[in-house]
Structure formats: C-alpha cells, structure tokens
Amino acid sequence: MTNEATVEPRREPAAHVNMLGFAKRPTKKKRSKKTRKWAPTMALQELYVSCKEVFRGPGTVPLDQDVKRLCHMLDNMKLEDFGLSCKLDFFNPKAAVIGTPRITYTIVYECDKFSMCVFFLPATAVIPLHNHPGMTVFSKLLMGTMHVKSYDWVDSPTADEPDSPAQVRLAKLEADSVFTAPCHTSVLYPTTGGNIHQFTAITPCAVLDVLGPPYSNEDGRDCTYYKDFPYTALPNGEMGSEQEEGDCYAWLEEITLPENLQMFVVRYKGPQVDDSSG
C-alpha cells in the first residue's frame, strides 16, 4: 500500500485533515504567527535513517538482516510516533460510515529510493487487490483490525507477453488472515510474500507502509488492480498438482481503477524527519 491508487492528489480542507486527528501540540499563548515544524520522534528518525541504509534503489532487494532490522523497528512503532492517538473519534469502532468509505493517506516522507505513508481506512473500507512491481513493502498495522488477502503469481509474467486487461493468470494464495494491532510487520517482495494484496478494514484502521522503491509511472512501477476468481471458475488446462489444491489458487484478472474506490491524499502535519544530514 503507499500511493497505491493512481488518483490525482487533492488538497483537502483543513477540517478534513483535523478529522484524521493529527494531534496538536498543547499551546498556552500565541507568541508568534510563525508555525514551527514538529521535531522528529526518536522512533521515526531512526526508521528514516535505517531506510536510507537499507533501500538501495530500483532493482535491489534488502538483505535478510536488513529486513529483520526494519521489522524490529516497525514492530515497536505506535500512532504517537506520527502525532496520532487511539482516542481520536476516527478510531471509534462505532463511528458511522455514510456512503462509500473514503480512504485517506498521507505521505510522511518520500525520495527516489523509498517512501513512508500512513493510510486511514474507515470500517468496511477496501483497498482492492493491487500489485507492487519491483518493490519490497513493509506494512505495519498501527491501529484497528484488518483482513488481508494476498497472492503471488504461479508463473511470473514475461516481458514479451501481450498486456491485455482481459488476460487472466493463475496465482497462489499467500495470506487470507485477520490482523489486529498490535501485531508483527508484514513483508512482501517483488515476486514472493504476497506481492498482490487487498486490505479490508473490519474496524477503523491506520496502517504504515514503507516501500522501496516507491511507485513511479515514469520508471514503470505503476499500480495495477485485479479481481480474483475461484480456481474452479475456469478450465484447469494442464495445471498438474494445482487441481488437488484448488483452495490455494485463484485466477486473477487485471481491471481498471475501480470507480467506487475513493482515495485522497492529505498533507502530513505530524512529526517530521530530519534529512539535513544527507
């Protein structure tokens, strides 16, 4: 998940940003009209420094020890590291959702090697099946309960195959589970670990995504959406052992951006990272 939908960024009214609940510093008296940026929290700054060392650009995958290093750091991160609180109205499990749930995300930091984003999903909101081409993605559920379904291709697509939205491809189910915060960080890789995944919020959720490298249309890392069909819905052909494990497989069809997907970006107003050293 990060700029995971190819939607046009849109500046939202201040009231909408406040609804997300970026906590405000307690103030006694207004001494100046100048606004001061938040200093980075220790956890956020350490994550930023580690990401700079771990992510080395397109075509690379972090080493195993570096993956463990980031997972350990992310496992201990909290809403407060981003100026948020679990007491906000947004995280009230009884909060009413009117119409199609609208997903909001904010970019904490982004460069050409990695990005850090926080997504806010109201209850019942869905980020449909989508891929992360050439990326390693760390997802940390900061708050709430979420259902995650993910797939990997049985056979990786080849460059010379026609790119047709009607084409279906066999995928293996990697995860179909419910997670409740606090929980361990999930990791997916360019071709393994569930590169194609879907998020469904059971309660209001906040999830931190760290992607390396980030999405980039110019560099061929565009987001593609999919719809899954049961394995038995289409002729098996000569699939071998998959016939005996139909529940572990599905057919994925590429689709256009779902019309009912409402995803908006808002300006990040929480603690900033200090990138002055590099």
Side-chain angles (χ1 to χ4, degrees), residues 195-222:
N195 187 275
I196 304 168
H197 69 194
Q198 172 177 294
F199 287 168
T200 302
I202 297 175
T203 68
C205 295
V207 57
L208 168 65
D209 264 9
V210 179
L211 300 89
Y215 282 104
S216 171
N217 294 348
E218 294 78 10
D219 297 324
R221 295 189 303 276
D222 196 3

Side-chain angles (χ1 to χ4, degrees), residues 256-262:
T256 58
L257 180 68
E259 293 182 359
N260 62 345
L261 178 59
Q262 297 189 49

Side-chain angles (χ1 to χ4, degrees), residues 32-210:
S32 172
K33 293 183 179 180
K34 295 182 179 180
T35 58
R36 293 183 297 173
K37 290 185 177 181
W38 285 30
T41 61
M42 182 176 296
L44 180 56
Q45 186 64 23
E46 289 179 350
L47 176 63
Y48 161 74
V49 172
S50 294
C51 285
K52 284 188 63 179
E53 298 172 352
V54 168
F55 293 108
R56 302 179 183 180
T60 64
V61 176
L63 300 175
D64 289 343
Q65 60 264 33
D66 289 332
V67 170
K68 293 178 181 178
R69 171 185 173 187
L70 286 186
C71 283
H72 177 72
M73 300 179 71
L74 289 165
D75 284 346
N76 293 291
M77 296 202 75
K78 301 179 176 62
L79 285 169
E80 290 76 11
D81 294 315
F82 304 93
L84 297 163
S85 169
C86 61
K87 296 181 180 180
L88 298 166
D89 290 341
F90 174 83
F91 297 115
N92 183 349
K94 297 181 181 179
V97 177
I98 301 174
T100 301
R102 137 185 190 146
I103 301 164
T104 308
Y105 70 93
T106 189
I107 301 172
V108 178
Y109 181 84
E110 185 173 35
C111 64
D112 59 349
K113 292 185 178 180
F114 67 93
S115 65
M116 297 186 290
C117 300
V118 179
F119 286 80
F120 303 89
L121 288 77
T124 73
V126 178
I127 299 180
L129 282 171
H130 60 281
N131 68 344
H132 307 79
M135 304 178 194
T136 303
V137 182
F138 297 76
S139 293
K140 165 61 177 176
L141 186 62
L142 297 170
M143 184 70 191
T145 298
M146 175 181 288
H147 175 259
V148 178
K149 179 189 285 189
S150 66
Y151 295 94
D152 283 323
W153 298 122
V154 171
D155 296 311
S156 298
T158 58
D160 58 350
E161 286 183 308
D163 184 15
S164 171
Q167 185 180 19
V168 295
R169 189 182 300 278
L170 187 64
K172 184 176 181 180
L173 184 67
E174 292 296 328
D176 189 7
S177 307
V178 173
F179 297 88
T180 298
C183 57
H184 290 302
T185 302
S186 299
V187 186
L188 62 85
Y189 299 90
T191 59
T192 61
N195 187 275
I196 304 168
H197 69 194
Q198 172 177 294
F199 287 168
T200 302
I202 297 175
T203 68
C205 295
V207 57
L208 168 65
D209 264 9
V210 179

